[in-house]
Amino acid sequence: MMQERTRDGYVFRTDLRLRPDPGATPIALSIGAAHVYYESQGQNWERAAMIKARAIAGDLTAGREFVAFLTPFIWRKSMDFAAIEDIQAIKSQIHTHKGFSKISLEGHNIKIGRGGIREIEFFCQTQQLIEGGRNPLLREVTTLGTLSQLAAAGKIDTSVREELQEAYVYLRELEHRLQMTHDEQTQLLPDDAKDFQKLGVFFGYDEAEEFRASLRATLETVQRHYDALFEFEETTDRKAGRLVYTGAEEDTKPHQTLAELGFENTSAISQKIREWHHGRYRATRNVRSQQILTTLMPQILETLGDTSNPDAAFTRFDVFLQKLPAGVQLFTMFKAHPSLLKLLAKVMGMAPELAETLSGNPMLLDGVLDSEFMAPLPPKDYLAADLELILSTARDFQDVLDYTRRWANDRKFRLGVQILDNVDHGTGLGATVAAGPAFSDVADVILEAMLIKVREEFARTHGVVPGGEFAVIAMGKLGSRQMSPASDADLIFVFDTPEEDMVTDGRKPISAGLYYTRFCQRYINALSVHTGEGQLYEIDMRLRPHGKSGPIALPLDSIRKYYEEEAWTWEHLALTRARVVAGDTALRAKAEEMLREIALTRRDPEKIRKDTLSMRRRVLKEHGTNNPLTIKHAEGGLMDLEFLSQYLRLKHGPDHPDILRPNSLNSLKVMKAEGILPAETADRLIDILKLYLNISGLKQLCLGGRKIDETIPLALKKALAEAAEVDNFDELAKKLKASQNDIDRLLTDYLAGT
């Protein structure tokens, strides 16, 4: 009825070819059948088309629900460079089939020809398919709106946006004139010179040549930007000789090439590569993934061969490949961006722990393609706004858990790679120290965002405590903003209510005390539970009042009373690194004031000295070691240095309030300025603390819980030596031992009362 022509004309031409499998399905398809199709067979070109989908008539609620169902189909959580190849192939097929592979004027198709409307749409849609899963602002349905969002996100220059917007409007208006001429759905420019000139006049040009020049310039502008979008990194000249592993018979030439590239166990490596090609792993079972892998093979082996231990790097890459759920997307990304392979090889050669993390979550490599990847993380308020935007697209609480983990893991990985890069370029001293505040900012943002989301989820059942407030106090490395790649989060939970014996206002009311206990349990679980996207943080509550036996959350007055009347000296030492990191504004201010007042409490100096000395002896007895590479618990190691710094804060804080800073480095600098420590002593303590934090952070990043010993990768030995500014790995142990001797002597002197 819409397209039927009567004496009054028609309503719309109607095209049904965008429905699922149009050659084999009825005009009206059940929602269930459509679900099955898009979940199992949906193509990349359909993803591009569905960016513009919206419900316009009929049961609009059902229509909107179906469009919402398409969200994970269209917007993939990982960058999809395979989609680019598909769209390039579609464009190539159009050119080949329709004969519009070159710009012409008479007879040219301004929609699907070179430089036409479709190239502007593909320019937008390919970037949307790649980036839209990670940036909801790019999920714009209009072409002009998408160009603006791409520019705002820094994906294209403002000049590119302006030129393509101008070209799009120009070509759409020209299309309108074409179709108005004979009321035909056409995008073909006239073949006849006179008709071409008439079109130019209708389009506002008095001279045919002026129209021709303007049209050609517009088409060439679009073509230039479209072609530039698909220009990826140039691959370097191949050093590898013959590397063919698809045949059944053994060939010695690949072995020779592997040896030339630096590999030693060429037979075993050759066998593994054959297994890749024969589809023994999930990532290589697909024919397309095998084809791309074959193309990439020389590049992969050359890159791994450039590491300090090619065989070890190859083994870790093989483990990485074994764990991949699929290969096409990642292999296509490597093909488009060879620098990713170099980064991957660096990780495989230097950082077994980071390599393991990548094996479990290869999509972390997506972020490397961001032009800002190697730049410092933006300020905390920007990070918070970015996470809030991501969470605004969550459909349920499970999405919240997954999205926060994906967001946090991306930024932790980015900081980890920056540390490796700094070390690799000889600027590693202080790399993990410098990253500490950034790691801490990420944790702060996560804690605040998850607090809001858990409270919303919990309120569905129990409501909230009217007028009740909640806050989170961070201790340890998070409190001191010295977080490292694998740090856990030491937390204390505090709440406040207007009256005693209050209950919540939800459909299942519970007492305020029970509410905050259950809420905190839910909050801890949301932060620490493992999902398909991994874990956020291990949560440690042992530093709360009364330790393991204490309530999980306490009223503010109870915490104040505990520290004033019951807390041990070691608990006051730990509290010197406390800061409030999340929660309701008013209670946060009250908690900060409480921490300040407790820190300024004047104490018996002799009791502080004796208690600190006793605590140090207990820790050394239980955890102490003479191995200088065990940085935290070695005698004179990181734990002892922190004991000294905390002891001095506790002793001198009431008279010198400015030293009461959670960060030990900052506190030591103020102690130097105020004469609490001699300048030479303070400088030595600061240098040693930086060394300890830097080496222990690099160790966490690369080795996780494993020890630093002779078995670690050669590349990591070199990196650790460079980070410590010594010539080799053997010298590292000597420098650490000398530092530990100095700390042991200073701590002994101060705690001996001299």
Side-chain angles (χ1 to χ4, degrees):
M1 290 177 66
M2 285 192 294
Q3 66 184 14
E4 181 182 357
R5 291 179 180 270
T6 70
R7 66 180 183 180
D8 298 311
Y10 63 96
V11 182
F12 290 115
R13 298 180 182 87
T14 307
D15 190 343
L16 301 172
R17 290 173 297 176
L18 292 183
R19 72 183 189 276
D21 198 3
T25 54
I27 289 175
L29 195 65
S30 73
I31 284 183
H35 281 188
V36 170
Y37 174 83
Y38 286 115
E39 285 176 336
S40 60
Q41 301 177 49
Q43 304 295 305
N44 279 321
W45 69 265
E46 291 174 303
R47 290 173 58 205
M50 288 298 177
I51 289 173
K52 298 185 176 183
R54 65 186 176 94
I56 60 166
D59 187 336
L60 292 178
T61 300
R64 293 189 188 107
E65 287 176 355
F66 180 70
V67 172
F69 163 80
L70 292 173
T71 297
F73 166 67
I74 302 169
W75 309 113
R76 304 287 171 82
K77 60 185 179 181
S78 61
M79 289 186 175
D80 192 357
F81 280 82
I84 283 192
E85 286 204 338
D86 281 356
I87 289 179
Q88 281 180 293
I90 293 167
K91 195 75 176 74
S92 177
Q93 289 169 8
I94 290 172
H95 294 159
T96 302
H97 179 64
K98 302 292 185 179
F100 302 116
S101 58
K102 295 181 180 179
I103 289 179
S104 56
L105 295 181
E106 285 85 351
H108 191 66
N109 190 307
I110 61 169
K111 182 174 184 180
I112 63 176
R114 290 306 328 255
I117 294 167
R118 185 58 53 82
E119 288 195 351
I120 303 175
E121 292 176 334
F122 279 177
F123 179 93
C124 293
Q125 290 167 351
T126 50
Q127 295 186 80
Q128 285 180 291
L129 291 181
I130 293 170
E131 302 274 0
R134 305 163 71 89
N135 184 353
L137 292 178
L138 294 180
R139 301 176 188 181
E140 167 67 45
V141 297
T142 68
T143 301
L144 294 179
T146 300
L147 287 169
S148 295
Q149 291 293 359
L150 286 170
K155 302 302 176 184
I156 60 174
D157 290 336
T158 303
S159 60
V160 176
R161 182 203 69 197
E162 291 172 351
E163 289 180 1
L164 287 180
Q165 284 183 343
E166 184 179 335
Y168 187 75
V169 172
Y170 181 99
L171 293 172
R172 279 298 191 194
E173 289 184 353
L174 181 57
E175 179 188 37
H176 295 165
R177 300 298 194 280
L178 272 172
Q179 296 183 358
M180 290 165 66
T181 303
H182 299 293
D183 192 21
E184 293 178 342
Q185 188 181 14
T186 182
Q187 289 86 23
L188 287 173
L189 296 172
D191 284 323
D192 182 76
K194 289 185 178 180
D195 290 338
F196 193 90
Q197 183 178 6
K198 288 180 182 178
L199 175 64
V201 172
F202 188 23
F203 197 41
Y205 289 89
D206 294 331
E207 299 293 333
E209 285 307 313
E210 184 184 359
F211 174 45
R212 292 173 64 88
S214 172
L215 176 57
R216 179 174 288 279
T218 299
L219 295 173
E220 287 177 348
T221 296
V222 174
Q223 181 186 27
R224 174 166 48 84
H225 290 311
Y226 178 82
D227 289 345
L229 177 66
F230 295 101
E231 287 179 358
F232 298 121
E233 300 172 24
E234 293 293 326
T235 56
T236 55
D237 293 336
R238 296 271 72 85
K239 294 182 293 183
R242 186 162 182 263
L243 284 167
V244 179
Y245 288 92
T246 53
E249 296 181 4
E250 186 71 14
D251 187 343
T252 58
K253 289 185 179 179
H255 289 225
Q256 296 170 7
T257 302
L258 288 171
E260 291 169 5
L261 291 173
F263 296 95
E264 294 181 3
N265 194 350
T266 58
S267 179
I269 290 173
S270 185
Q271 179 58 37
K272 275 293 180 185
I273 295 172
R274 288 180 183 280
E275 291 177 9
W276 298 352
H277 283 295
H278 291 149
R280 304 282 173 83
Y281 300 166
R282 283 178 299 173
T284 62
R285 285 175 190 161
N286 181 284
V287 173
R288 186 173 175 188
S289 67
Q290 291 176 13
Q291 291 171 341
I292 303 171
L293 184 62
T294 299
T295 305
L296 282 173
M297 189 55 61
Q299 193 177 333
I300 290 172
L301 293 175
E302 286 176 13
T303 307
L304 294 174
D306 283 338
T307 61
S308 61
N309 189 335
D311 288 52
F314 179 90
T315 300
R316 293 189 192 101
F317 183 81
D318 179 63
V319 172
F320 171 75
L321 212 57
Q322 285 182 46
K323 293 183 178 180
L324 279 182
V328 172
Q329 289 187 359
L330 190 65
F331 296 160
T332 310
M333 191 160 67
F334 286 154
K335 186 177 175 184
H337 295 274
S339 61
L340 284 182
L341 267 178
K342 293 182 180 179
L343 171 63
L344 188 63
K346 181 187 292 185
V347 170
M348 298 300 163
M350 184 189 300
E353 180 72 11
L354 201 56
E356 204 166 293
T357 300
L358 267 181
S359 296
N361 190 1
M363 289 179 298
L364 290 171
L365 287 170
D366 290 355
V368 182
L369 301 181
D370 192 319
S371 59
E372 299 294 314
F373 185 78
M374 297 308 293
L377 285 190
K380 188 159 65 174
D381 56 349
Y382 182 95
L383 292 173
D386 186 52
L387 179 57
E388 183 180 3
L389 174 63
I390 297 295
L391 293 181
S392 69
T393 66
R395 296 163 295 178
D396 51 34
F397 194 67
Q398 184 60 49
D399 273 357
V400 170
L401 296 178
D402 287 337
Y403 290 1
T404 49
R405 281 153 176 75
R406 198 180 308 156
W407 183 89
N409 290 337
D410 281 350
R411 279 138 194 86
K412 289 179 188 178
F413 179 68
R414 174 174 167 179
L415 290 169
V417 171
Q418 288 180 6
I419 291 171
L420 291 185
D421 188 68
N422 285 333
V423 172
D424 197 43
H425 287 87
T427 56
L429 187 63
T432 53
V433 177
F439 278 117
S440 303
D441 282 348
V442 170
D444 287 0
V445 168
I446 287 291
L447 287 167
E448 183 66 44
M450 288 304 295
L451 174 57
I452 294 169
K453 293 300 180 181
V454 172
R455 179 181 276 164
E456 290 174 356
E457 184 72 10
F458 207 57
R460 299 180 195 277
T461 304
H462 299 296
V464 297
V465 178
E469 294 182 316
F470 181 81
V472 181
I473 298 173
M475 308 280 282
K477 285 192 173 182
L478 177 56
S480 62
R481 290 178 58 80
Q482 292 174 339
M483 289 280 275
S484 55
S487 296
D488 57 11
D490 296 284
L491 304 177
I492 295 176
F493 298 138
V494 55
F495 67 89
D496 197 19
T497 57
E499 304 171 18
E500 293 185 3
D501 303 323
M502 294 187 71
V503 296
T504 60
D505 59 4
R507 57 187 177 86
K508 291 185 178 181
I510 55 177
S511 68
L514 182 58
Y515 166 84
Y516 284 113
T517 297
R518 290 184 179 176
F519 169 76
C520 290
Q521 290 169 340
R522 184 77 62 89
Y523 184 43
I524 291 171
N525 187 61
L527 292 166
S528 60
V529 69
H530 285 267
T531 75
E533 299 291 339
Q535 181 190 39
L536 287 170
Y537 298 99
E538 287 283 355
I539 305 300
D540 191 338
M541 300 291 297
R542 290 174 296 177
L543 293 180
R544 71 185 187 272
H546 305 290
K548 293 180 181 179
S549 61
I552 196 169
L554 281 169
L556 182 68
D557 289 342
S558 296
I559 293 179
R560 183 193 302 272
K561 183 178 179 181
Y562 176 82
Y563 279 105
E564 288 176 349
E565 300 178 4
E566 301 179 51
W568 296 78
T569 299
W570 73 263
E571 292 177 285
H572 285 284
L573 291 171
L575 205 64
T576 62
R577 301 170 76 187
R579 66 185 177 93
V580 185
V581 294
D584 298 299
T585 304
L587 185 56
R588 289 183 66 162
K590 291 178 185 176
E592 288 281 9
E593 182 60 27
M594 176 196 72
L595 293 174
R596 182 78 173 170
E597 289 174 0
I598 293 171
L600 288 170
T601 301
R602 197 172 295 279
R603 297 174 175 82
D604 179 1
E606 185 63 14
K607 178 174 172 53
I608 297 172
R609 183 188 68 78
K610 288 181 178 179
D611 288 350
T612 304
L613 181 60
S614 174
M615 188 65 192
R616 191 223 177 182
R617 287 170 177 166
R618 288 177 58 189
V619 171
L620 284 178
K621 183 178 179 180
E622 187 172 348
H623 301 288
T625 173
N626 290 322
N627 181 359
L629 297 174
T630 308
I631 295 170
K632 183 176 181 180
H633 290 117
E635 195 167 349
L638 181 58
M639 183 73 76
D640 276 356
L641 203 163
E642 285 290 358
F643 269 141
L644 178 56
S645 174
Q646 292 165 18
Y647 163 74
L648 293 172
R649 271 178 273 186
L650 214 57
K651 179 180 178 181
H652 298 286
D655 296 318
H656 300 272
D658 281 351
I659 72 171
L660 297 174
R661 305 187 180 205
N663 184 282
S664 297
L665 283 171
N666 293 338
S667 181
L668 288 169
K669 290 174 183 176
V670 180
M671 290 181 199
K672 173 186 174 181
E674 300 203 1
I676 296 170
L677 286 172
E680 185 178 345
T681 301
D683 288 341
R684 180 65 176 145
L685 287 172
I686 290 168
D687 287 344
I688 293 174
L689 182 53
K690 287 180 178 179
L691 172 68
Y692 286 173
L693 292 174
N694 200 32
I695 298 300
S696 61
L698 193 56
K699 176 258 181 191
Q700 273 192 10
L701 175 67
C702 297
L703 297 175
R706 284 165 281 190
K707 296 180 179 179
I708 300 177
D709 55 31
E710 288 296 332
T711 65
I712 67 174
L714 291 173
L716 180 55
K717 288 181 180 179
K718 181 181 177 184
L720 288 167
E722 288 178 352
E725 294 189 320
V726 294
D727 293 335
N728 53 55
F729 184 69
D730 292 335
E731 292 296 318
L732 170 65
K734 293 178 182 178
K735 182 169 184 175
L736 287 171
K737 187 61 178 175
S739 300
Q740 289 158 9
N741 288 338
D742 285 351
I743 297 299
D744 181 49
R745 176 178 51 79
L746 285 168
L747 184 57
T748 300
D749 288 346
Y750 276 97
L751 295 185
T754 59

XYZ file of all heavy atoms in Angstrom, residues 452-483:
242
model
N 27.982 3.237 44.414
C 26.700 3.769 43.917
C 25.840 2.655 43.334
O 24.641 2.548 43.628
C 26.962 4.864 42.861
C 27.629 6.077 43.514
C 25.671 5.268 42.159
C 28.161 7.100 42.523
N 26.446 1.788 42.514
C 25.682 0.741 41.840
C 25.194 -0.331 42.819
O 24.070 -0.826 42.695
C 26.535 0.108 40.738
C 26.842 1.042 39.577
C 25.562 1.520 38.904
C 25.850 2.450 37.740
N 24.599 2.945 37.097
N 26.031 -0.700 43.787
C 25.609 -1.704 44.770
C 24.491 -1.143 45.635
O 23.525 -1.838 45.958
C 26.801 -2.154 45.640
C 26.329 -3.042 46.788
C 27.819 -2.903 44.794
N 24.605 0.130 45.992
C 23.541 0.748 46.798
C 22.221 0.753 46.030
O 21.162 0.461 46.598
C 23.958 2.176 47.162
C 22.919 2.929 47.968
C 23.413 4.350 48.259
N 24.277 4.385 49.414
C 25.081 5.408 49.697
N 25.165 6.427 48.864
N 25.814 5.398 50.785
N 22.271 1.070 44.741
C 21.050 1.049 43.924
C 20.464 -0.349 43.867
O 19.239 -0.535 43.993
C 21.365 1.538 42.498
C 21.685 3.015 42.397
C 22.127 3.406 40.994
O 22.260 2.495 40.129
O 22.362 4.612 40.756
N 21.309 -1.343 43.672
C 20.844 -2.727 43.581
C 20.270 -3.194 44.916
O 19.227 -3.849 44.971
C 22.017 -3.629 43.158
C 21.657 -5.080 42.926
C 20.838 -5.311 41.666
O 20.706 -4.359 40.857
O 20.311 -6.428 41.501
N 20.937 -2.856 46.000
C 20.500 -3.277 47.330
C 19.183 -2.611 47.713
O 18.347 -3.196 48.409
C 21.591 -2.926 48.345
C 21.606 -3.799 49.560
C 21.730 -5.179 49.447
C 21.514 -3.250 50.830
C 21.755 -5.984 50.568
C 21.539 -4.049 51.958
C 21.658 -5.420 51.832
N 18.994 -1.375 47.222
C 17.779 -0.627 47.559
C 16.529 -1.230 46.941
O 15.417 -0.985 47.425
C 17.932 0.827 47.111
N 16.690 -2.026 45.897
C 15.520 -2.648 45.270
C 14.777 -3.533 46.262
O 13.555 -3.683 46.175
C 15.939 -3.481 44.056
C 16.607 -2.691 42.951
C 16.992 -3.606 41.788
N 17.931 -2.975 40.891
C 17.590 -2.144 39.910
N 16.315 -1.859 39.717
N 18.515 -1.604 39.134
N 15.513 -4.124 47.176
C 14.900 -5.017 48.161
C 14.685 -4.336 49.502
O 13.588 -4.377 50.072
C 15.783 -6.265 48.377
O 15.992 -6.911 47.121
C 15.132 -7.228 49.353
N 15.715 -3.692 50.014
C 15.663 -3.183 51.381
C 15.514 -1.673 51.490
O 15.355 -1.156 52.602
C 16.928 -3.604 52.138
C 17.103 -5.084 52.236
N 16.229 -5.903 52.925
C 18.038 -5.919 51.713
C 16.631 -7.158 52.837
N 17.725 -7.197 52.097
N 15.575 -0.951 50.370
C 15.540 0.492 50.449
C 16.841 1.026 51.025
O 17.900 0.410 50.875
N 16.777 2.165 51.705
C 17.958 2.760 52.335
C 17.597 3.173 53.753
O 16.427 3.239 54.126
C 18.471 3.989 51.541
C 18.914 3.587 50.152
C 17.391 5.074 51.473
N 18.617 3.462 54.543
C 18.398 4.015 55.881
C 18.150 5.513 55.714
O 19.044 6.225 55.234
C 19.620 3.768 56.788
C 19.394 4.403 58.159
C 19.904 2.281 56.928
N 16.952 6.017 56.051
C 16.673 7.448 55.857
C 17.703 8.324 56.569
O 17.912 8.208 57.774
C 15.276 7.616 56.477
C 14.660 6.253 56.402
C 15.794 5.288 56.605
N 18.391 9.149 55.800
C 19.390 10.032 56.376
C 20.708 9.357 56.693
O 21.650 10.011 57.163
N 20.807 8.045 56.453
C 22.036 7.316 56.741
C 23.128 7.643 55.738
O 22.852 7.951 54.576
N 24.369 7.598 56.200
C 25.511 7.893 55.336
C 26.560 6.795 55.472
O 26.648 6.128 56.509
C 26.125 9.241 55.696
C 25.197 10.417 55.411
C 25.856 11.745 55.740
O 26.489 11.843 56.803
O 25.744 12.673 54.925
N 27.369 6.650 54.406
C 28.360 5.574 54.356
C 29.635 6.116 53.717
O 29.583 6.951 52.808
C 27.810 4.409 53.523
C 28.732 3.235 53.427
C 28.819 2.299 54.454
C 29.521 3.039 52.303
C 29.663 1.207 54.363
C 30.378 1.954 52.195
C 30.447 1.037 53.243
N 30.796 5.646 54.189
C 32.070 6.076 53.604
C 33.079 4.937 53.685
O 32.938 4.010 54.489
C 32.607 7.318 54.314
N 34.091 5.034 52.830
C 35.138 4.015 52.747
C 36.481 4.661 53.043
O 36.839 5.674 52.433
C 35.170 3.371 51.339
C 36.252 2.294 51.274
C 33.814 2.783 50.983
N 37.217 4.059 53.999
C 38.568 4.516 54.331
C 39.562 3.510 53.763
O 39.420 2.306 53.982
C 38.753 4.635 55.859
C 37.778 5.669 56.434
C 40.200 5.011 56.196
C 37.774 5.725 57.951
N 40.538 4.006 53.016
C 41.573 3.139 52.441
C 42.805 3.172 53.321
O 43.179 4.211 53.861
C 41.926 3.594 51.028
N 43.441 2.017 53.445
C 44.679 1.887 54.210
C 45.764 1.348 53.278
O 45.531 1.113 52.096
C 44.459 0.923 55.384
C 43.252 1.250 56.257
S 43.575 2.561 57.420
C 44.490 1.651 58.668
N 46.956 1.096 53.835
C 48.013 0.447 53.078
C 48.402 1.220 51.830
O 48.420 2.449 51.805
N 48.689 0.474 50.764
C 49.167 1.106 49.529
C 48.108 1.972 48.866
O 48.427 2.991 48.246
C 49.664 0.033 48.556
C 51.015 -0.547 48.926
C 51.581 -1.385 47.791
C 53.008 -1.835 48.086
N 53.591 -2.604 46.977
N 46.841 1.564 48.965
C 45.786 2.398 48.387
C 45.658 3.688 49.176
O 45.519 4.770 48.599
C 44.456 1.637 48.370
C 43.240 2.408 47.866
C 43.483 2.964 46.476
C 41.997 1.528 47.874
N 45.732 3.595 50.505
C 45.656 4.795 51.320
C 46.797 5.753 51.039
O 46.604 6.972 50.984
N 47.989 5.212 50.827
C 49.167 6.054 50.595
C 49.377 6.397 49.121
O 50.363 7.033 48.762
C 50.416 5.355 51.130
O 50.637 4.136 50.446
N 48.458 5.969 48.282
C 48.541 6.224 46.829
C 49.838 5.676 46.236
O 50.458 6.286 45.372
C 48.406 7.727 46.524
C 47.005 8.241 46.772
C 46.862 9.735 46.519
N 47.227 10.107 45.160
C 46.452 9.968 44.091
N 45.246 9.422 44.223
N 46.863 10.353 42.904
N 50.246 4.498 46.754
C 51.428 3.813 46.229
C 51.026 2.465 45.621
O 51.801 1.507 45.637
C 52.450 3.600 47.354
C 53.073 4.883 47.858
C 53.974 4.672 49.072
O 53.864 3.672 49.783
N 54.868 5.616 49.321
N 49.821 2.398 45.060
C 49.334 1.144 44.473
C 50.280 0.682 43.367
O 50.829 1.489 42.612
C 47.942 1.331 43.885
C 46.847 1.503 44.915
S 46.296 -0.054 45.632
C 45.085 -0.566 44.418
